[in-house]
Amino acid sequence: MQLDTYITLAHGNGGRFMRELIQTIFARHLDNPALDVHADAVCLPWHQSEIVITTDGFTVKPLEFPGGDIGSLAIHGTINDLAVVGAIPRYLTLNTFIEEGLEIVQLDRLIANLATAAKAENVAVVAGDTKVVQRGEGGGLYLATTGIGFRDPTVRLGMEYIQPQDVILVSGAIGEHGTAVMLARQQFGLHGDLHSDAASVLPLTQALLSLSGLRFMRDPTRGGLATVAHEISQVTGYTLKLYQAAIPIQDPVQSVCDILGYDPLYLACEGRVVAVTAPQQADEALARWRDLPQGQSAAIIGHVQVGPARVILQTQLGGERLLEELEDDPLPRIC
Amino acid sequence: MQLDTYITLAHGNGGRFMRELIQTIFARHLDNPALDVHADAVCLPWHQSEIVITTDGFTVKPLEFPGGDIGSLAIHGTINDLAVVGAIPRYLTLNTFIEEGLEIVQLDRLIANLATAAKAENVAVVAGDTKVVQRGEGGGLYLATTGIGFRDPTVRLGMEYIQPQDVILVSGAIGEHGTAVMLARQQFGLHGDLHSDAASVLPLTQALLSLSGLRFMRDPTRGGLATVAHEISQVTGYTLKLYQAAIPIQDPVQSVCDILGYDPLYLACEGRVVAVTAPQQADEALARWRDLPQGQSAAIIGHVQVGPARVILQTQLGGERLLEELEDDPLPRIC
């Protein structure tokens, strides 16, 4: 694969350029082909039980936005990567990169919110490191977290279990995090009462774990629902068909996207889950989600069919179009 | 404690301002008074054995310097925090914050060196995340790593085991990392053949673990030897006396410090260990270190005595002076 010469923002957007960068530099050197590309969290063999580990960086701009901030987002983002592989989060480490000149009262507020979110999820922050970088060499505050959780060793989840006719569900409306952060930047002159969906998805993932037909779960963050669908199709070699009319999208999100030319399918969520189940258990999965406060808008949004590897959107008018893999970065620093 | 209004570089230098920042914001909110201040790595209770975890951020500037680069430094720095608590490093997670515009060939080289260093230490990088930040909002590349290791549960190390009359040793000459990075910045117009001491200290720490009189080990990174001595005196309440004539310092390091007005006692090492042992085992510890290639210059450099909590330097002329806790930042972004 031919690499570019310089890093661009597209190398961080969760789409094709980022995947190629990770494959050709990180996974190649580190002898770990699955690194970050297909795995939310990795299982460490340890005696008879399973320890699951994940790591995440956070660079969201602005640092505070309606519905969250970089502190609570770091907790929810890390917890969610453990939750979607069926683990219960337990420990977290925290790295902070602080830019010289950050207001200390803001740092205090952000770390307080991080701590509150961690406590609410029964996660202990057990180690930390702090670096300060010169003014102009940071974005105010970057965070890096590593989360450790425990998992029942009988849990079997992964894209490799996905089969044709399997059903795709989403736990709630998409694109709210991306839209709320975008509006918080105020660069568009748009204002609304949109809030980020950032939250722990642990109740949603735990609700489905006892379903024998549960194949795979993923939280659609950077790159959104379309990017999760692309990852599944690339790994499995199957075609994913999504039903546009069934995908829950709040009106304000759709309006903002219409005005600015964004496609909500590519916008980040930080509190939603995409699940793939056997067809005969999809209704039960949907019912379990809808029983939860955070799953009221859950929906069946597509299915898997025999290949080739591609993602097809069945439009509201009944037509079909190919969903491209993300290339241009609609929203850098969304998480 | 009264906090300042804005973050300054001194909040990241390992000295007093950083300690106060961590105590008043991070440790307070996160309900973990030991967070980063006194612990290199934290033990996670898990069945009958001990898992040890640590986390580190790396912002060194320039990204490459004689004797190392940010990639190998991230491995060695993380491994060393596990090694000094008596653990054997095993797994690592890697977060990268890449600035738009970084040359991809340089990123490739840095990650390759990181991978080489990890393989040499039998450490597997098991999870990663990549963020790209806009041009001007990063320092080229920042790394954040979390290391996980295993420890024999019979190991008992910690500042709480230190007693009066205990002996302080260092495994080699100090200040080489700080001096090498400083010269690599070329802002002083000085050039030399100084190399960073950055390396794994695992052979040094493992060599002492069977000594029943081993109390405590620490790698003197940010803030250097003087900062480790201050941390010990603050936690134990004892006086630490260091013998200036016994502290190994290479001539080129001393010369550069004399020219620029730095005190090598405050400069970072990235491949040295400070150990505290019972007096009757100090000679044995010294002999074990000197048997190793990386311990040839090891020396007994001080002892612990009944308080008050302070650090005294016995000068080469026989006088004594108080070593202050680090306040001004001699070298930001040294690690």
Side-chain angles (χ1 to χ4, degrees):
Chain A
M1 197 174 298
Q2 183 63 41
L3 274 182
D4 300 322
T5 306
Y6 296 101
I7 292 289
T8 67
L9 289 170
H11 286 109
N13 68 3
R16 183 169 70 83
F17 292 112
M18 180 166 157
R19 177 171 55 78
E20 289 177 1
L21 181 75
I22 291 169
Q23 283 171 344
T24 52
I25 294 191
F26 293 93
R28 180 166 61 88
H29 289 309
L30 299 169
D31 259 358
N32 186 348
L35 191 67
D36 198 28
V37 184
H38 305 312
D40 279 301
V42 175
C43 178
L44 302 178
W46 177 243
H47 293 183
Q48 267 65 60
S49 293
E50 288 187 326
I51 301 178
V52 183
I53 189 164
T54 187
T55 195
D56 275 299
F58 297 90
T59 63
V60 66
K61 179 182 181 178
L63 297 174
E64 297 171 281
F65 48 84
D69 56 54
I70 194 171
S72 57
L73 183 65
I75 297 297
H76 294 140
T78 308
I79 281 177
N80 290 351
D81 280 351
L82 294 171
V84 293
V85 299
I88 304 218
R90 179 78 178 275
Y91 299 112
L92 215 118
T93 68
L94 174 66
N95 256 285
T96 54
F97 298 90
I98 311 172
E99 186 181 7
E100 180 186 19
L102 181 69
E103 266 203 284
I104 289 180
V105 66
Q106 185 178 27
L107 178 65
D108 187 63
R109 189 165 64 236
L110 295 170
I111 301 300
N113 290 342
L114 181 150
T116 301
K119 277 172 201 153
E121 302 297 324
N122 285 313
V123 168
V125 179
V126 293
D129 191 32
T130 305
K131 291 286 187 292
V132 176
V133 298
Q134 278 112 323
R135 198 184 298 268
E137 296 188 344
L141 182 66
Y142 301 145
L143 301 179
T145 49
T146 292
I148 293 175
F150 298 105
R151 184 168 68 173
D152 178 338
T154 64
V155 169
R156 291 281 171 276
L157 292 178
M159 291 195 222
E160 67 270 28
Y161 299 108
I162 294 175
Q163 298 170 22
Q165 313 316 325
D166 279 356
V167 172
I168 305 163
L169 299 93
V170 69
S171 67
I174 64 166
E176 285 159 37
H177 177 71
T179 314
V181 170
M182 186 164 63
L183 291 185
R185 289 186 192 158
Q186 301 187 313
Q187 66 199 66
F188 303 108
L190 292 173
H191 298 279
D193 58 356
L194 264 168
H195 284 69
S196 167
D197 53 280
S200 163
V201 301
L202 190 62
L204 292 162
T205 58
Q206 289 288 306
L208 302 196
L209 276 187
S210 64
L211 292 177
S212 62
L214 180 66
R215 317 284 200 203
F216 173 74
M217 296 187 285
R218 165 69 52 91
D219 53 329
T221 58
R222 263 183 300 181
L225 176 62
T227 296
V228 173
H230 268 282
E231 286 174 4
I232 294 172
S233 78
Q234 281 163 18
V235 171
T236 62
Y238 298 138
T239 295
L240 268 74
K241 186 173 283 188
L242 302 180
Y243 324 135
Q244 187 169 31
I247 299 169
I249 302 175
Q250 279 196 38
D251 287 341
V253 169
Q254 189 62 60
S255 301
V256 169
C257 285
D258 289 344
I259 292 169
L260 297 174
Y262 290 120
D263 185 339
L265 296 178
Y266 294 89
L267 293 188
C269 312
E270 289 286 346
R272 307 298 181 211
V273 181
V274 173
V276 182
T277 73
Q280 61 275 21
Q281 290 194 316
D283 288 339
E284 171 65 19
L286 183 64
R288 290 188 185 189
W289 271 358
R290 288 192 169 167
D291 274 348
L292 294 171
Q294 54 273 76
Q296 304 277 305
S297 311
I300 288 173
I301 59 163
H303 69 274
V304 179
Q305 54 190 44
V306 173
R310 59 184 178 173
V311 181
I312 293 175
L313 186 71
Q314 187 179 293
T315 65
Q316 282 169 320
L317 302 175
E320 290 191 347
R321 69 174 172 90
L322 273 182
L323 268 189
E324 298 292 330
E325 189 175 2
L326 178 66
E327 292 200 351
D328 289 330
D329 200 354
L331 284 172
R333 295 188 52 191
I334 202 71
C335 60
Chain B
M1 195 175 300
Q2 183 62 41
L3 274 183
D4 299 323
T5 306
Y6 295 101
I7 292 289
T8 67
L9 289 171
H11 286 110
N13 69 4
R16 182 169 70 83
F17 291 111
M18 179 167 158
R19 178 170 54 78
E20 290 177 2
L21 180 74
I22 291 169
Q23 285 172 343
T24 52
I25 293 191
F26 293 94
R28 179 165 61 89
H29 288 309
L30 299 169
D31 258 358
N32 185 349
L35 190 68
D36 198 28
V37 184
H38 305 312
D40 278 300
V42 175
C43 179
L44 303 178
W46 177 242
H47 293 185
Q48 266 65 60
S49 293
E50 288 187 325
I51 301 180
V52 183
I53 190 163
T54 187
T55 195
D56 274 298
F58 297 90
T59 62
V60 67
K61 180 183 180 180
L63 296 174
E64 297 171 281
F65 48 83
D69 56 53
I70 195 170
S72 57
L73 183 65
I75 298 296
H76 294 140
T78 308
I79 281 177
N80 290 351
D81 281 351
L82 293 171
V84 294
V85 299
I88 303 215
R90 179 78 177 272
Y91 298 113
L92 216 117
T93 68
L94 173 66
N95 255 286
T96 55
F97 297 91
I98 311 172
E99 186 182 6
E100 180 186 19
L102 181 70
E103 266 203 285
I104 289 179
V105 66
Q106 185 179 26
L107 177 66
D108 187 63
R109 190 165 64 236
L110 295 169
I111 301 300
N113 290 341
L114 180 150
T116 301
K119 277 171 203 153
E121 302 296 325
N122 285 314
V123 168
V125 179
V126 292
D129 191 32
T130 304
K131 290 286 188 293
V132 176
V133 298
Q134 278 112 326
R135 199 183 299 266
E137 296 188 343
L141 182 66
Y142 302 144
L143 301 179
T145 50
T146 292
I148 293 175
F150 298 105
R151 183 167 68 173
D152 177 340
T154 65
V155 169
R156 289 284 172 276
L157 292 177
M159 291 195 220
E160 66 271 28
Y161 299 108
I162 294 174
Q163 298 171 22
Q165 314 315 324
D166 279 356
V167 172
I168 304 163
L169 299 94
V170 69
S171 68
I174 64 166
E176 285 160 37
H177 177 72
T179 315
V181 171
M182 186 164 61
L183 290 185
R185 289 185 193 161
Q186 301 187 313
Q187 65 198 70
F188 301 109
L190 292 172
H191 297 280
D193 56 357
L194 264 168
H195 284 69
S196 167
D197 53 280
S200 163
V201 301
L202 190 61
L204 292 161
T205 58
Q206 289 289 306
L208 302 195
L209 276 186
S210 64
L211 291 176
S212 61
L214 179 67
R215 317 285 201 201
F216 174 73
M217 295 187 287
R218 165 70 52 92
D219 53 329
T221 59
R222 263 183 299 181
L225 176 61
T227 296
V228 173
H230 268 283
E231 287 175 2
I232 294 173
S233 76
Q234 282 165 15
V235 171
T236 62
Y238 297 139
T239 295
L240 268 73
K241 187 173 281 186
L242 301 181
Y243 324 136
Q244 187 169 31
I247 299 170
I249 301 175
Q250 278 195 38
D251 287 342
V253 170
Q254 190 63 59
S255 302
V256 168
C257 286
D258 289 345
I259 292 168
L260 297 175
Y262 290 121
D263 185 339
L265 296 178
Y266 294 90
L267 293 188
C269 311
E270 288 287 346
R272 308 300 181 206
V273 182
V274 173
V276 182
T277 73
Q280 60 275 19
Q281 290 193 317
D283 288 340
E284 172 66 18
L286 183 64
R288 290 187 185 189
W289 271 358
R290 287 192 169 166
D291 275 349
L292 294 170
Q294 54 271 76
Q296 304 275 305
S297 311
I300 288 173
I301 59 162
H303 69 273
V304 179
Q305 53 190 44
V306 173
R310 59 184 178 174
V311 181
I312 292 175
L313 186 71
Q314 187 178 290
T315 65
Q316 282 169 321
L317 302 173
E320 289 191 345
R321 69 173 172 91
L322 274 181
L323 270 188
E324 299 291 333
E325 189 175 3
L326 178 66
E327 292 201 349
D328 289 330
D329 200 353
L331 284 172
R333 295 188 52 191
I334 202 70
C335 60

